[in-house]
Amino acid sequence: MAVRRIARGAGLGARVVAALEEAVLRYLGDPSVEVVLSAQEQAMGFYERCGYRVLNGRRYLDAGIWHQDMARTVSTVSAADSAGSATCGRPLRAEPRAGKETNT
C-alpha cells in the first residue's frame, strides 16, 4: 500500500487496512483469519499500530527495499473495532502533511 506523503496522517491507510480485513472475513466466511503481509521496514510502526506483529524478524529485499513479514489474527470483533477507530493507534490530524511523496 502507498499513501502520498501529503495525505499521510489523515487515517487513509488505516481505513484501507480495516476495509481489507473486513473484506477477507466476508469473502472467506470465517469468524477469524490470520492476515500476513510484507511490510517495508520504514512502515512497520504503522502496521504495529494496526495490531500486526513481526513474524520471524527475517529481512529481505523486495524492489530494493528492506521488508519483513508481519501478521495479525483478525476476527469479526477485531475488524469492527479497527473500522471504528481506523487510526491504528494514532490520532487523526486535521490537515495532511506537505512534502515529497514516498511509499509506506
Side-chain angles (χ1 to χ4, degrees), residues 59-79:
R59 306 172 76 204
Y60 54 92
L61 282 173
D62 184 357
I65 302 167
W66 286 107
H67 286 69
Q68 291 189 40
D69 290 335
M70 299 184 79
R72 176 178 183 223
T73 300
V74 294
S75 67
T76 51
V77 173
S78 67

Side-chain angles (χ1 to χ4, degrees), residues 5 13 39 50 72 82 98-99:
R5 182 169 287 194
C50 291
R72 176 178 183 223
S82 65

Side-chain angles (χ1 to χ4, degrees), residues 21-104:
E21 291 171 348
E22 290 177 38
V24 74
L25 288 168
R26 277 194 311 272
Y27 178 78
L28 295 176
D30 291 337
S32 180
V33 175
E34 183 176 41
V35 176
V36 178
L37 58 82
S38 174
Q40 291 182 10
E41 287 186 342
Q42 66 190 26
M44 288 175 66
F46 165 78
Y47 290 110
E48 287 171 346
R49 288 189 301 275
C50 291
Y52 287 80
R53 69 191 183 292
V54 175
L55 273 183
N56 56 29
R58 283 187 290 211
R59 306 172 76 204
Y60 54 92
L61 282 173
D62 184 357
I65 302 167
W66 286 107
H67 286 69
Q68 291 189 40
D69 290 335
M70 299 184 79
R72 176 178 183 223
T73 300
V74 294
S75 67
T76 51
V77 173
S78 67
D81 290 344
S82 65
S85 63
T87 62
C88 291
R90 178 184 283 179
L92 293 175
R93 286 193 1 256
E95 305 233 350
R97 294 181 212 162
K100 181 181 167 191
E101 95 182 41
T102 58
N103 292 336
T104 56

